Amino acid sequence: MRMLFLTDNFPPEVNAPATRTYEHCVKWVELGYQVTVITCFPNSPNGKVFEGYKNKFFKKESIDGINVIRVWSYISENNGFVSRIIDYLSYSFASVIVGVFVKTDIIIATSPQFFTAISGRLLSFFKGKPWIMEVRDLWPDSIVAVGSMSQNSKAFKILKKIERHLYLNAQKIIVVTDSFKEYLIEKHFIPSEKIGVFKNGVLINNFKKIDSERLLKSKKSLGLENKIIISFLGTHGLAHGLRFILDSISKIKDNKYHFLFVGDGSEKQNLLEYSKTLDSNNFTFLDSVTKSEIPLYIDMSDYSLVNLKKSNEFKNVIPSKIFENIAMYKPILLGVEGESKELIEKYKVGIVFEPENVESFINAIYKIEQINHEYFIGNCNKMLNDFNRNKIAYNMINFALKKSKL
């Protein structure tokens, strides 16, 4: 069985879409499938092509048995909305041109953004092959949620029509939360049996405890050896509400807490500039790190911050960093409502605060220190068993191909 997977993010990029797709594809190769991925030249989150790559028309490589084809796309350091749309469109166009020549039995296209899904639909039409749409974000609604587009605009209405067309024409739809499935059934009247829910997960072996000597050395290099470290690792974008976090931090007078922001993104520079205006020094910003370094920064931390802006749209998401931190047995300080909140409370692996509520945030910091460590470890193990990435990948492809699950 030959599979063609379309995604604009893939390793060596380390964001959630790249990791999810890569780990699923590795499992599918292990199961005997021939997997080809069409993606961009790595450039996320800074809009700069990674060292060792050039943004040219076409390049083939093999990564852990996966056939990877990289295609040219418009790449710019400009983080504006128009630039991103041009980026998405250029990848969509290039992936269709190249995908026409790739032999495959099935096509899987992942969103956000759904220009990638449009590529999957077009290739399905040209090649006469079934296609599966993976929905990791309700695009374009999520654009409205971060204030980049008006719900009353013509562009939004056009995108909504395209969205519906894609849902109706995909053979199967894979979503990452129960809320997404409910949305597709209630708003677009998609049959329940056409939709499979396969949530984010984690490969436990990728997140092993760090040697204590290395850990202490890393803390000392940052001057944090005697601090309670609360870390935010990942993209610093409009959706993550980190300006609110900075405002809240400035109101915490106890210097035993230190906040570590590790990563890059469209809002990183704005956050750095804003942080200089605050009367506080209990936070540190660090650049994005490689995938192999992520466990070090998680293990260095006492607690993990997972935060999004207050929006009904974000009640439908479950950030993947939750699972990565649980794999390192770090309690979650969660500022997300909806399914994420239900998940944390169900497994009792953290403390939840109301997004963009300063008092709730500060109270949660004090409460998280009261977590019973013994019970917490057991709760993490149960959650890790339930969200094993290999099991998810196996069941996901079997759903797509109408086979039985584990």
Side-chain angles (χ1 to χ4, degrees):
M1 167 70 75
R2 298 166 297 185
M3 298 167 48
L4 175 59
F5 201 107
L6 306 179
T7 174
D8 57 354
N9 293 116
F10 201 73
E13 294 173 327
V14 297
N15 57 16
T19 299
R20 175 182 168 91
T21 300
Y22 163 74
E23 291 178 354
H24 284 173
C25 288
V26 167
K27 181 62 180 178
W28 297 335
V29 169
E30 182 185 311
L31 291 171
Y33 296 100
Q34 181 181 317
V35 182
T36 299
V37 171
I38 300 181
T39 188
C40 304
F41 287 89
N43 67 88
S44 177
N46 290 327
K48 294 181 181 179
V49 178
F50 284 26
E51 187 175 349
Y53 290 91
K54 290 184 178 179
N55 190 24
K56 51 188 181 180
F57 178 71
F58 179 89
K59 181 185 178 180
K60 284 186 177 181
E61 60 181 308
S62 179
I63 300 177
D64 296 326
I66 306 163
N67 302 313
V68 180
I69 301 175
R70 299 193 185 273
V71 296
W72 180 90
S73 64
Y74 174 79
I75 296 174
S76 171
E77 292 182 50
N78 184 344
N79 294 309
F81 177 72
V82 173
S83 291
R84 287 198 296 272
I85 292 296
I86 296 172
D87 178 0
Y88 301 155
L89 284 169
S90 63
Y91 165 72
S92 179
F93 182 71
S95 62
V96 170
I97 292 176
V98 172
V100 167
F101 299 99
V102 177
K103 292 181 179 180
T104 189
D105 301 300
I106 190 171
I107 300 160
I108 304 177
T110 187
S111 71
Q113 32 70 32
F114 66 36
F115 291 112
T116 302
I118 293 173
S119 301
R121 170 73 180 104
L122 289 172
L123 284 173
S124 172
F125 176 78
F126 291 139
K127 299 171 78 67
K129 301 294 182 182
W131 79 288
I132 312 297
M133 182 177 179
E134 183 184 49
V135 182
R136 290 184 291 100
D137 198 359
L138 293 180
W139 214 84
D141 297 76
S142 58
I143 307 176
V144 174
V146 298
S148 294
M149 180 182 285
S150 168
Q151 200 165 15
N152 298 318
S153 68
K154 274 189 177 180
F156 178 79
K157 291 174 182 177
I158 291 171
L159 290 174
K160 289 295 288 182
K161 288 181 179 179
I162 296 173
E163 176 195 35
R164 178 166 174 75
H165 173 84
L166 294 171
Y167 293 150
L168 291 173
N169 284 276
Q171 183 184 63
K172 294 273 189 175
I173 301 173
I174 290 166
V175 295
V176 293
T177 67
D178 296 313
S179 300
F180 283 9
K181 182 171 182 175
E182 291 170 11
Y183 166 82
L184 291 175
I185 294 171
E186 293 175 8
K187 300 294 184 182
H188 293 279
F189 309 105
I190 305 299
S192 175
E193 62 273 14
K194 181 176 174 175
I195 309 165
V197 181
F198 299 94
K199 299 180 181 181
N200 280 314
V202 67
L203 293 178
I204 303 171
N205 291 338
N206 291 348
F207 294 89
K208 296 179 179 178
K209 300 293 284 184
I210 305 300
D211 175 78
S212 58
E213 187 175 335
R214 183 188 175 198
L215 205 58
L216 182 59
K217 185 178 179 181
S218 298
K219 284 186 178 182
K220 282 184 175 180
S221 69
L222 294 169
L224 302 178
E225 59 267 40
N226 297 314
K227 299 289 187 178
I228 295 175
I229 302 172
I230 301 173
S231 66
F232 178 91
L233 280 80
T235 303
H236 295 31
L238 286 168
H240 299 96
L242 296 182
R243 181 160 174 159
F244 155 76
I245 298 297
L246 287 174
D247 283 333
S248 301
I249 290 172
S250 67
K251 294 176 172 60
I252 300 172
K253 302 307 177 186
D254 194 334
N255 287 326
K256 71 177 182 180
Y257 301 106
H258 196 90
F259 291 78
L260 198 58
F261 298 91
V262 184
D264 288 295
S266 61
E267 282 295 290
K268 177 69 174 282
Q269 192 56 45
N270 291 334
L271 292 167
L272 285 170
E273 292 300 319
Y274 182 67
S275 70
K276 295 174 184 176
T277 69
L278 300 175
D279 183 22
S280 177
N281 61 357
N282 56 347
F283 55 82
T284 300
F285 282 92
L286 299 177
D287 291 336
S288 185
V289 298
T290 64
K291 192 170 186 63
S292 62
E293 292 176 298
I294 289 174
L296 168 64
Y297 287 92
I298 295 177
D299 210 13
M300 188 190 303
S301 309
D302 296 284
Y303 309 110
S304 171
L305 172 64
V306 180
N307 188 69
L308 290 171
K309 290 182 67 175
K310 188 175 181 65
S311 168
N312 287 334
E313 294 302 326
F314 296 141
K315 290 180 180 181
N316 302 321
V317 304
I318 303 176
S320 62
K321 59 170 65 73
I322 288 175
F323 304 100
E324 295 171 355
N325 283 278
I326 293 304
M328 299 290 288
Y329 299 96
K330 300 297 175 180
I332 306 297
L333 185 63
L334 182 79
V336 187
E337 297 176 312
E339 281 201 50
S340 291
K341 178 182 178 181
E342 293 169 7
L343 184 72
I344 298 301
E345 292 180 338
K346 175 184 176 181
Y347 287 93
K348 297 180 174 62
V349 290
I351 299 295
V352 179
F353 64 91
E354 182 184 348
E356 300 183 20
N357 183 317
V358 176
E359 183 179 357
S360 179
F361 173 67
I362 294 175
N363 286 339
I365 293 171
Y366 300 142
K367 287 180 183 177
I368 204 166
E369 293 186 74
Q370 300 169 19
I371 285 179
N372 184 301
H373 186 70
E374 183 179 345
Y375 287 118
F376 172 73
I377 295 297
N379 294 340
C380 288
N381 288 333
K382 185 178 187 312
M383 185 173 175
L384 292 171
N385 180 65
D386 291 347
F387 292 92
N388 181 293
R389 180 81 85 184
N390 281 331
K391 188 190 296 185
I392 293 168
Y394 180 91
N395 289 334
M396 175 177 161
I397 198 60
N398 283 359
F399 168 78
L401 300 177
K402 301 180 182 178
K403 296 181 179 181
S404 60
K405 299 181 181 180
L406 280 176

